[in-house]
Amino acid sequence: MEQTISPVLTGRKAAIIGIANDQSIAYGCARAFRMAGADIAVTWLNEKARPHVEPLAVALGATITAPLDVSVPGELEALFETIKSNWGRLDLLVHSIAFAPKDDLRGGLLSSSADGFAKAMDISCHSFVRMARLAAPLMTEGGAMFAMSYNGAHKVVPNYNVMGPVKAALEAACRYLAYELGPSGIRVHAISPGPLKTRAASGIKDFELLLNEAANKAPLGELVDIMDVGWTCAYLATPFARRVTGGTVYIDGGANIMG
Ligand SMILES: NC(=O)c1ccc[n+]([C@@H]2O[C@H](COP(=O)([O-])OP(=O)(O)OC[C@H]3O[C@@H](n4cnc5c(N)ncnc54)[C@H](O)[C@@H]3O)[C@@H](O)[C@H]2O)c1
């Protein structure tokens, strides 16, 4: 009998960006990573969000907590400085944030404004590139990065609007970052969960219809939950997935294979 390995992420250092509340996909990742033994850093958007996030971070035993609004100059750099001074290194990074101005999200792509499109792209996509740039030098023993996408990147999902092209760019960014960071032993994964009832999702028109359709369409016949996403990311974070990088991993009960 070979030696058993448990828990599999013991001693790994993980930065989890995107917890708004206990429904957040990032919270599922944080729980799964902690249950697998990782130490975690948790961020909140601003002082308004802090009372909703800090208690969750404390309950999870997060070793680092910090504010992070990726649109505020300097906050991202400050977070990675804190990580560097506390941990000296980083192994895992979860980017689970998205934003589009309401009018741009609610209207069709044709009517999206240049400013709204740029803002959605900056917060939901380029912020991952900026994070990767700061995280990579700390991943001295290799590592894994995750960015949350959605099937609206590939297929037209009514009402997903401007976020479709933005998520397509995010998935492409994951491929290019996987290429650039592969030589450093850093893997990059686009994660594509099925629809989940979260605060971000409440901005999408007729989201309930999307949920119903997802459950009906999925070969596995059920909606996913945030722990399904968390456990898949936890697996990809382990050395068991050491030759997997750059692709989009669907966590949707198989819905994406259906016509
Ligand atoms: N809910 C779904 O159905 C679904 C499906 C697939 C992918 N996703 C993606 O998962 C990710 C997480 O969303 P969620 O559904 O858990 O919703 P959520 O509302 O719980 O999380 C979104 C997070 O984005 C953060 N955020 C927004 N603007 C930010 C900024 N400027 N700086 C830092 N953080 C900022 C919010 O604070 C929040 O924590 C998003 O990328 C979303 O597009 C969601």
Side-chain angles (χ1 to χ4, degrees), residues 17-21 23-27 43-46 49 53 68-72 95-99 119 123-124 131 147-151 160 163 167 170 191-201 204 207 210-211 226:
I17 317 299
I19 300 181
N21 52 43
Q23 321 275 297
S24 295
I25 292 173
Y27 180 63
T43 64
W44 47 76
L45 179 62
N46 50 30
V53 183
L68 176 64
D69 181 334
V70 295
S71 65
V72 175
H95 177 288
S96 187
I97 69 176
F99 176 80
K119 180 112 181 136
I123 292 177
S124 315
M131 263 179 221
M148 296 302 155
S149 186
Y150 178 58
N151 200 24
Y160 203 54
M163 288 310 292
K167 291 296 193 191
L170 180 66
I191 303 295
S192 188
L196 284 144
K197 230 176 159 165
T198 63
R199 215 180 58 195
I204 294 162
F207 187 74
L210 218 62
L211 283 173
I226 60 170

Side-chain angles (χ1 to χ4, degrees), residues 137-214:
L138 298 179
M139 294 187 165
T140 47
E141 297 166 24
M145 302 181 181
F146 304 87
M148 296 302 155
S149 186
Y150 178 58
N151 200 24
H154 281 273
K155 305 271 170 66
V156 175
V157 176
N159 298 317
Y160 203 54
N161 302 333
V162 67
M163 288 310 292
V166 168
K167 291 296 193 191
L170 180 66
E171 292 189 14
C174 287
R175 290 190 285 275
Y176 279 82
L177 291 173
Y179 168 69
E180 292 181 19
L181 294 171
S184 306
I186 299 168
R187 299 177 288 111
V188 184
H189 305 283
I191 303 295
S192 188
L196 284 144
K197 230 176 159 165
T198 63
R199 215 180 58 195
S202 68
I204 294 162
K205 189 168 166 272
D206 292 336
F207 187 74
E208 293 290 334
L209 296 180
L210 218 62
L211 283 173
N212 286 340
E213 197 193 54

Side-chain angles (χ1 to χ4, degrees), residues 54-105:
E54 197 168 27
L56 299 174
V58 170
L60 283 168
T63 26
I64 296 172
T65 54
L68 176 64
D69 181 334
V70 295
S71 65
V72 175
E75 285 203 0
L76 206 45
E77 289 76 7
L79 170 69
F80 283 92
E81 267 311 310
T82 305
I83 289 172
K84 191 179 176 183
S85 59
N86 277 264
W87 286 339
R89 61 166 232 275
L90 184 69
D91 304 296
L92 305 166
L93 171 69
V94 175
H95 177 288
S96 187
I97 69 176
F99 176 80
K102 207 176 211 154
D103 287 348
D104 294 283
L105 184 60

